Amino acid sequence: MEPITIEAGKKLINENDPVDSMYVVIAGEIVQQWRGQTLSLGPGTVVGLSDALNHQYEADYTVKETATVIKCNYKTMADFDVIFKEQPVYIFGFAKGAFRQCRDVFKIYDAYKKKVDDFTDYCRGINTEYRKLCRAASMTPVEIPLLEEMEPLELKNEILKWEHDYIDSLNSVDNKEIENIYGKRTEIVNGVIGISCGYMARAIECAETMGFYIEEFSPILLSQERGDMFESLFNLRIYMAERGMEQDGIIKLMKMLYKYLSTCGIYDKQLIKERWAEYDSHDFAASAAAFDEAKVQKQAEFTQTFEHICEFAEVDEDKQNEYRKQLDDYLALSDREGKEDNERRIRKKAVDLFYDIYRKTFFRALEFEAMGGELDTIILMFLNFGYIDYEAVGEELTYQLADLVERLETLCESDHLFTIYKWLRMVYQADREPSKNELDLDYRGFVLEERKSGNIPESEMQTWMNDQEQKVIFEIDNFFKSANRTTSGKMTAFCPVLTKEDFGAEPMRLLLTQAKLMEAMNKIEEVDYGIFLREGYFTDMDAGVKSEAYLKRVEPDIILLPNVGMRAMMWQECGGIKVDSPGRFVFPMFTLDDIDKMMIYCCGAFRWEICRKEQGSRWNDIGSECLTSDFYDYFTFYRKNKDLSAENKEKVKTLLKSSRNNMREAFTKQYTIWINFEAQGSIRLNKAERNILNKHCTFSKAYRAKVKSHPMFEQGISRHEIKQSQALHHLKTIIDKVEKNDGVVPDEVKKGMEYLKM
């Protein structure tokens, strides 16, 4: 084993070469490049030691400073016995080298672990602060998709604390003690080398995984393609500057981000420099001045809001003057909700003119867009918010509403969430059927009644049935007018003309956004998981499956009405004749009321009405064993119920009286208690009510687990879980049967199995 001198820059070992030797470093420095990581090996270390358990080298070894090494032939762990027999002095050197190199690799691992932990914490933290500033500025936060996807990194082979402590303690032992401990016990040294090599391989693998993780999610904060947090904060400051808001918070947050980007060791220095220079040189005062100029130009337009709407809707001059006087008379009232005859008459005229102009504007907007036109801000504010007069709303609220209407598609629209303008367009395009009127007649039923009354001749029946314009008029005259009044909470004094007095806070705070509504709906579904599940039927005659039931989720449509209101309601349990079409909930677009309370009320009413729809004429037949029949029997015969105490009977009497003997209203109140209290194990209902709700509105698995041990829930939950288990087994058998017969089972049917597990 003669010393070998190797010049700087030479490769000693190439990655993927077969393992055939190790090199004891006597002098100089050799760099190990291992899965993107770099480790320096100096005197007293062993080149190739980390590959002792491998057949091929997993690293490149390059001489950084001219090195002197001693080559030892090696292929398997058994060769250490030969090496140590020829050179007993190497026993100590190899042992010390093994856990020293392992310690150095652990340092790489620790550095990456800290970098990942710091990165994920920073991303969450700055996003939270960004959203707080957005809320304060009434600006919708920009969603960064990668941030939504980022989950805490879970390492499969992470280094455990005791393993780390073991290597650290070995490195802290004095050299003489190590020599005394190991002596000539080669089997101990072999064990230490084997353990250390295993640790190093795991640590570097984890470091590589952490490197990939940071590489994948680093664009959250800064990216060449932009769309990152840096840009979001930059734009937020521009937004705040334009509106004359205090900017100290956003300036501080931007500086914090710059400091992190510069010191975290993740980002390209040149990219940081370029993006910061762009931000630092931006003239925010000029942005504010330009915004003010645009605001002045818009102000001239807004002051002529009513005239602009009438001109767009092609209202003739005489009619426009008539409407203007009626609107001015209404706005001049000292008490716009007054009950005097004159006040009622003036308010009625204002209501009529509003809907007359709305209908004309809506159809003109359809025509205008069909020709490729783009609706301006004023028309969009009228169609979506009911904004019709600048003086009635005032300058500050006008600009806040103008800002909101430009973001309305993002804030308040989805596949099942609609502004009234979007909803009416859906009806016109035949994507949704018109809603039922207050007499519970759908459009078809209305046309048939009109024919019976002689208002529509038999020869025009088919034309009316397929007339999309008439369907929209029906929707405006019945659903829109009625639901708008109801959701306002002012049943007798409502006028759809928007005024500043309607608002008690900034519009953005009152706006019912998709995020707010979905959060409220999800809270209920987390408890009553089956509320929006309906039965579908699957058929595959080739496999002998005639009609098998499965569960599918049917999310309700939510329609936002243009008012500042305090009531929500379930308008229809389903969209038409088919039971599996979406229900319809209506909410005010702006509200000061509790959204959770409003949503629970809608869901309770929906629970009742969808059961009535499914059961038909048997909705109150006790033999049908459904929610409505069980409660009908309970409310009708509670006085004879031997299981109810005198006190509980009095409570039921009070409940029905407060609900005006409306069983749906009474049920909805008990359903609210079920969701808010009973699901948490807080007993508020009597035994009979709890048994019915436990049977038909069973808690989800997570909530069942909370109350399952309670004797008042135990039996009902046990029955439910047995029933679900049997249904799951049956559906799985059907699916297996179809697939074995080379049939195709729709994903929706397979999803039904997941619902049965909930």
Side-chain angles (χ1 to χ4, degrees):
M1 296 184 181
E2 294 296 325
I4 304 170
T5 300
I6 308 172
E7 294 178 3
K10 292 283 184 72
K11 269 279 185 73
L12 184 59
I13 297 173
N14 290 305
E15 183 182 358
N16 296 325
D17 282 351
V19 173
D20 61 4
S21 55
M22 292 188 182
Y23 299 86
V24 179
V25 182
I26 306 300
E29 182 183 356
I30 295 173
V31 174
Q32 177 181 357
Q33 291 178 302
W34 195 11
R35 296 190 187 179
Q37 310 307 319
T38 300
L39 193 63
S40 178
L41 304 176
T45 59
V46 181
V47 173
L49 189 62
S50 58
D51 288 306
L53 302 178
N54 304 326
H55 295 294
Q56 293 178 314
Y57 294 109
E58 292 189 351
D60 283 326
Y61 295 87
T62 306
V63 179
K64 185 176 182 181
E65 294 179 4
T66 300
T68 302
V69 299
I70 295 177
K71 182 177 181 180
C72 303
N73 293 325
Y74 175 89
K75 287 188 177 180
T76 67
M77 289 289 288
D79 291 329
F80 280 125
D81 292 333
V82 177
I83 294 171
F84 296 151
K85 186 176 181 180
E86 291 183 13
Q87 293 287 343
V89 70
Y90 283 179
I91 295 176
F92 164 76
F94 273 69
K96 183 71 175 177
F99 46 73
R100 186 197 293 176
Q101 285 179 236
C102 190
R103 176 202 62 192
D104 293 341
V105 171
F106 276 10
K107 286 180 180 178
I108 295 173
Y109 170 88
D110 292 342
Y112 262 97
K113 190 104 173 37
K114 185 177 187 307
K115 187 180 285 188
V116 167
D117 291 343
D118 289 348
F119 175 75
T120 53
D121 289 345
Y122 193 86
C123 286
R124 292 194 195 97
I126 197 167
N127 186 52
T128 299
E129 294 304 313
Y130 165 65
R131 288 176 173 275
K132 285 180 183 177
L133 289 173
C134 285
R135 283 197 296 272
S138 297
M139 175 179 169
T140 307
V142 173
E143 300 297 338
I144 301 175
L146 271 179
L147 190 58
E148 299 297 314
E149 297 171 15
M150 187 175 70
E151 298 287 344
L153 179 61
E154 294 183 7
L155 297 170
K156 293 181 180 178
N157 293 310
E158 66 177 327
I159 303 301
L160 304 177
K161 184 178 183 302
W162 69 266
E163 295 172 320
H164 210 305
D165 291 344
Y166 170 64
I167 294 299
D168 288 345
S169 64
L170 283 176
N171 277 284
S172 66
V173 176
D174 184 80
N175 287 349
K176 288 184 179 179
E177 288 187 50
I178 294 174
E179 197 166 1
N180 290 333
I181 292 170
Y182 296 120
K184 296 181 180 179
R185 302 288 296 276
T186 58
E187 66 276 11
I188 296 178
V189 180
N190 289 347
V192 169
I193 293 172
I195 291 171
S196 298
C197 288
Y199 287 171
M200 285 189 278
R202 283 168 50 202
I204 291 296
E205 183 181 356
C206 288
E208 186 179 32
T209 300
M210 290 187 280
F212 290 149
Y213 180 85
I214 288 175
E215 184 180 349
E216 180 182 0
F217 293 109
S218 62
I220 289 172
L221 300 181
L222 192 71
S223 169
Q224 285 281 10
E225 286 72 34
R226 301 187 179 241
D228 48 35
M229 183 58 70
F230 191 98
E231 184 176 59
S232 297
L233 294 177
F234 192 169
N235 289 337
L236 176 57
R237 186 176 173 193
I238 293 173
Y239 180 91
M240 296 172 81
E242 289 175 341
R243 288 153 182 80
M245 299 177 183
E246 176 59 54
Q247 298 169 52
D248 287 350
I250 186 64
I251 292 171
K252 182 180 178 182
L253 196 58
M254 202 69 177
K255 287 180 178 178
M256 288 170 57
L257 176 59
Y258 174 67
K259 182 179 179 181
Y260 176 78
L261 295 173
S262 302
T263 58
C264 67
I266 296 174
Y267 297 93
D268 178 70
K269 297 291 184 183
Q270 184 60 33
L271 178 60
I272 298 170
K273 184 178 179 181
E274 289 172 2
R275 294 289 293 280
W276 181 257
E278 180 185 347
Y279 165 78
D280 201 35
S281 62
H282 186 84
D283 192 338
F284 292 96
S287 294
F291 183 80
D292 287 340
E293 185 179 346
K295 188 175 177 180
V296 170
Q297 291 176 351
K298 273 194 171 182
Q299 187 172 13
E301 299 171 11
F302 284 133
T303 55
Q304 299 296 313
T305 291
F306 181 79
E307 290 73 18
H308 177 74
I309 293 169
C310 287
E311 183 180 345
F312 178 84
E314 299 178 341
V315 176
D316 65 57
E317 188 176 348
D318 290 342
K319 197 69 176 176
Q320 180 178 325
N321 292 334
E322 180 187 336
Y323 282 157
R324 181 73 258 183
K325 183 180 185 311
Q326 291 172 349
L327 182 60
D328 288 343
D329 288 346
Y330 169 71
L331 295 174
L333 289 174
S334 57
D335 182 4
R336 294 181 191 138
E337 297 178 17
K339 298 179 181 178
E340 298 294 330
D341 288 345
N342 182 55
E343 293 167 334
R344 289 174 183 270
R345 185 173 62 256
I346 291 174
R347 187 167 57 242
K348 172 72 166 55
K349 287 183 178 180
V351 171
D352 291 343
L353 79 84
F354 178 90
Y355 288 114
D356 191 23
I357 294 175
Y358 193 97
R359 184 173 69 176
K360 291 174 180 176
T361 304
F362 174 79
F363 286 116
R364 179 72 183 92
L366 290 181
E367 179 185 330
F368 186 71
E369 288 185 312
M371 294 187 296
E374 186 174 340
L375 301 181
D376 61 45
T377 302
I378 290 175
I379 300 302
L380 288 172
M381 289 167 68
F382 174 58
L383 291 170
N384 290 287
F385 300 147
Y387 174 87
I388 195 171
D389 186 80
Y390 175 78
E391 295 297 333
V393 175
E395 179 183 342
E396 185 177 354
L397 283 172
T398 290
Y399 288 114
Q400 290 177 11
L401 291 171
D403 184 54
L404 285 183
V405 84
E406 291 174 4
R407 299 180 284 148
L408 210 54
E409 186 174 348
T410 303
L411 290 169
C412 300
E413 292 182 8
S414 69
D415 291 343
H416 288 278
L417 178 61
F418 310 87
T419 63
I420 186 60
Y421 176 55
K422 183 181 177 184
W423 177 258
L424 293 174
R425 287 186 63 181
M426 296 288 281
V427 172
Y428 183 79
Q429 294 162 2
D431 291 323
R432 292 291 192 277
E433 284 299 310
S435 307
K436 292 180 180 179
N437 62 19
E438 289 185 301
L439 299 175
D440 205 34
L441 289 175
D442 59 14
Y443 180 73
R444 178 181 175 79
F446 162 75
V447 173
L448 291 173
E449 284 295 315
E450 288 293 286
R451 186 196 64 183
K452 289 179 183 177
S453 302
N455 297 325
I456 299 176
E458 183 70 35
S459 59
E460 295 181 14
M461 279 291 292
Q462 196 59 41
T463 302
W464 272 76
M465 287 293 185
N466 299 318
D467 191 330
Q468 295 304 127
E469 188 170 324
Q470 286 299 331
K471 288 182 179 181
V472 171
I473 293 171
F474 176 81
E475 191 76 344
I476 292 174
D477 290 345
N478 295 277
F479 166 72
F480 184 16
K481 291 181 180 179
S482 180
N484 208 19
R485 182 179 69 250
T486 303
T487 53
S488 75
K490 305 172 185 177
M491 293 298 291
T492 59
F494 174 66
C495 179
V497 173
L498 201 65
T499 66
K500 62 171 74 76
E501 288 77 20
D502 294 325
F503 292 90
E506 293 178 349
M508 184 61 197
R509 285 183 57 193
L510 307 184
L511 184 68
L512 288 186
T513 62
Q514 180 188 7
K516 292 177 184 177
L517 289 163
M518 291 306 102
E519 181 182 1
M521 186 182 289
N522 290 340
K523 285 180 183 177
I524 298 169
E525 275 195 283
E526 284 175 5
V527 179
D528 181 10
Y529 77 96
I531 184 165
F532 299 125
L533 297 182
R534 317 266 186 96
E535 277 194 342
Y537 293 91
F538 171 61
T539 301
D540 189 318
M541 299 306 293
D542 292 336
V545 178
K546 294 182 180 179
S547 183
E548 287 294 336
Y550 66 93
L551 294 174
K552 62 179 181 179
R553 184 176 182 274
V554 182
E555 185 178 332
D557 289 335
I558 297 177
I559 307 156
L560 299 176
L561 282 304
N563 67 70
V564 185
M566 60 188 73
R567 285 194 63 189
M569 63 185 300
M570 190 282 306
W571 190 265
Q572 286 179 215
E573 70 283 350
C574 56
I577 298 174
K578 294 178 67 177
V579 179
D580 63 349
S581 56
R584 295 177 185 178
F585 293 179
V586 289
F587 282 77
M589 179 158 277
F590 304 96
T591 186
L592 284 165
D593 210 347
D594 184 274
I595 303 172
D596 291 340
K597 182 183 77 174
M598 297 166 81
M599 185 62 75
I600 290 176
Y601 176 81
C602 287
C603 289
F606 173 78
R607 265 291 191 187
W608 183 272
E609 292 300 331
I610 194 64
C611 183
R612 283 191 57 155
K613 179 77 173 181
E614 290 170 342
Q615 296 299 318
S617 61
R618 298 193 63 200
W619 73 270
N620 60 354
D621 181 353
I622 192 61
S624 66
E625 291 192 3
C626 64
L627 182 141
T628 51
S629 66
D630 284 353
F631 264 107
Y632 178 86
D633 182 67
Y634 168 71
F635 285 138
T636 303
F637 302 108
Y638 74 90
R639 292 184 182 87
K640 300 178 182 179
N641 194 327
K642 296 179 181 179
D643 293 331
L644 290 180
S645 64
E647 181 185 358
N648 279 332
K649 288 178 181 178
E650 190 61 31
K651 286 182 179 178
V652 177
K653 179 181 177 182
T654 303
L655 171 66
L656 289 170
K657 185 177 180 181
S658 66
S659 304
R660 302 178 301 281
N661 285 321
N662 184 313
M663 291 188 184
R664 189 184 84 174
E665 290 297 306
F667 160 74
T668 301
K669 290 177 181 178
Q670 303 311 82
Y671 180 80
T672 300
I673 295 171
W674 179 248
I675 297 295
N676 285 337
F677 298 102
E678 295 268 330
Q680 309 298 332
S682 177
I683 305 303
R684 301 291 179 92
L685 303 173
N686 63 48
K687 182 179 178 181
E689 293 166 342
R690 183 177 302 104
N691 285 344
I692 298 173
L693 284 162
N694 202 9
K695 180 179 177 182
H696 300 293
C697 305
T698 314
F699 298 143
S700 64
K701 185 181 290 185
Y703 283 86
R704 291 200 301 272
K706 287 184 180 180
V707 300
K708 190 173 183 179
S709 59
H710 199 296
M712 292 187 179
F713 292 95
E714 186 176 7
Q715 190 176 6
I717 289 175
S718 179
R719 280 199 301 266
H720 170 81
E721 291 184 345
I722 291 170
K723 181 181 176 182
Q724 294 299 91
S725 178
Q726 290 171 342
L728 177 63
H729 176 74
H730 177 73
L731 182 58
K732 187 177 185 306
T733 302
I734 295 299
I735 290 173
D736 290 345
K737 181 179 179 182
V738 172
E739 289 181 339
K740 285 178 182 177
N741 198 52
D742 296 328
V744 177
V745 179
D747 291 338
E748 186 179 62
V749 178
K750 292 181 179 179
K751 182 70 175 175
M753 294 179 66
E754 298 303 314
Y755 295 132
L756 291 170
K757 296 175 184 176
M758 295 174 72

